[in-house]
């Protein structure tokens, strides 16, 4: 990644999931440690694309998920924000 944010929502989703995986790994956590996912999007989500990424990260571990559509996020270029709540179980 070159530090630029793609204007395409699906690209942002792919990048966000790749980053989440890296953060989990850097903390010695796995998808099993994710207990809740909060997701905010500024435009309609392509669920087929999101669930492909979701399945790659979570497999059969499905944490609780909250989804909200909002008019804007803190950085204007962002179209999606995903927050993971994790716990050692």
């Amino acid at each position: 990644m070159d530090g630029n944010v793609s204007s395409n929502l699906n690209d942002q989703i792919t990048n966000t999931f790749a980053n989440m995986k890296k953060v989990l790994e850097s903390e010695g956590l796995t998808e099993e440690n994710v207990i809740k996912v909060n997701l905010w999007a500024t435009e309609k989500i392509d669920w087929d694309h999101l669930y492909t990424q979701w399945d790659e990260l979570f497999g059969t571990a499905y944490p609780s998920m909250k989804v909200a559509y909002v008019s804007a996020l803190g950085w204007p270029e962002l179209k999606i924000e995903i927050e993971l709540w994790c716990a050692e179980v």
Side-chain angles (χ1 to χ4, degrees):
M1 187 78 183
D2 58 11
N4 293 317
V5 176
S6 172
S7 62
N8 179 278
L9 177 60
N10 281 349
D11 290 344
Q12 288 188 22
I13 289 170
T14 299
N15 187 56
T16 300
F17 272 85
N19 287 337
M20 290 188 306
K21 182 173 178 145
K22 288 177 188 175
V23 169
L24 288 171
E25 289 172 354
S26 75
E27 295 299 318
L29 301 172
T30 71
E31 69 283 350
E32 295 289 331
N33 298 107
V34 179
I35 59 172
K36 184 174 182 183
V37 177
N38 292 326
L39 188 151
W40 297 273
T42 61
E43 63 184 54
K44 186 177 179 196
I45 295 169
D46 174 353
W47 288 102
D48 290 334
H49 180 77
L50 187 132
Y51 278 131
T52 297
Q53 300 299 311
W54 182 277
D55 289 344
E56 281 184 33
L57 180 60
F58 292 110
T60 58
Y62 273 80
S64 169
M65 179 171 59
K66 175 176 30 179
V67 177
Y69 286 100
V70 296
S71 60
L73 292 166
W75 196 14
E77 292 86 351
L78 295 180
K79 295 182 177 186
I80 192 155
E81 181 175 324
I82 302 174
E83 174 185 68
L84 301 180
W85 289 41
C86 301
E88 290 191 26
V89 289

